[in-house]
Amino acid sequence: MNYVLRTFKLSKSYSGIPAVNNLSMNIKAGEIYGFLGQNGAGKTTTLSMLMGLAKPGSGEIELFGETLSGRNRELYGRIGSIIDYPGFYGNLTACENLDIHKRMMGVQDKQCITKKLELVGLKEATNKKVNKFSLGMKQRLGIARALLHQPELLILDEPTNGLDPMGIKEMRELILSLSREKKVTVLISSHILSEVQQLADTIGIIHRGKLLEEIDYKELQKRNRHYLQLRVSDDRKAAMLLEQGLGIADYRVWEKGVVRIYERLNDASEVNRKMVAAGLEVSEICLKYDSLEDYFIRLTTDNAPDVPENTKPAMGGGRIA
């Protein structure tokens, strides 16, 4: 397997509090790796360590097959990145801003600025001052700057933050194009599950500094199960009826009034009949399947032992996949 980036038990603490804890991740060449976690989960700290902006407390980073050390920092020249918000000189044009970066990186291609602005959809804004740019345009300009030196790996920290729906769509299409057409490996961190779901080949889920799961998205789709979803007037009474009246153990009370049943999916009419006969109002009963959001919630709540039980989705007595 050809890996562009790997970490081994990477850790970082601030004032004795772990921000990243024994994190081992594996990013394959040519893929889009979705680094998924809630705000404060440790995503930006991890990316900062990968880019040499923060020193790891312990652990190792491997780039392009080489363990990173003080002797081979030239490996960073093969990476483009946007960590936090991309900053520019507002009184300069897009072209002038990129020219500064081009000189700093020692890029010789005289056409690279024009090419990259066209690639990210800013060809018509070449001579426009950046202080006149929208947030989405600045995000695009940030990616153009990150691509000037033809990196093999692109690291993007929350690239759709603050964008409107059209801006998010355009950013998604740009990232997919870079990966599929330009063969750039992309590591994208986000807390927006729906975006990661539409982009990633592999998903890494980080929670409270720990990497809980690293899984191929196609495998995740296979793992997620179908279920019957019921919306009822009394979820506690419904749960009791499922266990005692129907012998169903594999279920969850997902939220107030919502029950998900993971077995006997063909018995919807029988379940509905029993609920109504017991005096329960059933306003919805339908067949659905787990989304990435469902999987993420299940994984993170099951790995949060210090969270009070009444704040977690309740589980039935059976196995939860």
Side-chain angles (χ1 to χ4, degrees), residues 215-231:
I215 185 170
D216 182 276
Y217 184 61
K218 290 182 180 178
E219 177 60 32
L220 177 60
Q221 288 178 307
K222 293 178 184 178
R223 183 180 298 185
N224 283 346
R225 298 185 297 166
H226 285 74
Y227 58 87
L228 279 175
Q229 176 160 300
L230 282 74
R231 193 170 297 274

Side-chain angles (χ1 to χ4, degrees), residues 12 16-17 36-37 40 49 104 127 133 150 157 163 167 204 218 225 240 249 293 306:
K12 177 72 174 178
I17 300 174
L36 184 63
M49 287 191 286
M104 289 176 58
N127 296 312
F133 275 27
Q150 302 279 57
D157 186 17
L163 299 185
K218 290 182 180 178
R225 298 185 297 166
M240 187 179 301
E293 180 179 9
D306 54 332

Side-chain angles (χ1 to χ4, degrees), residues 298-319:
R298 185 167 69 241
L299 189 64
T300 54
T301 54
D302 287 351
N303 284 274
D306 54 332
V307 175
E309 285 299 318
N310 61 5
T311 67
K312 296 184 184 183
M315 284 184 272
R319 177 181 62 85

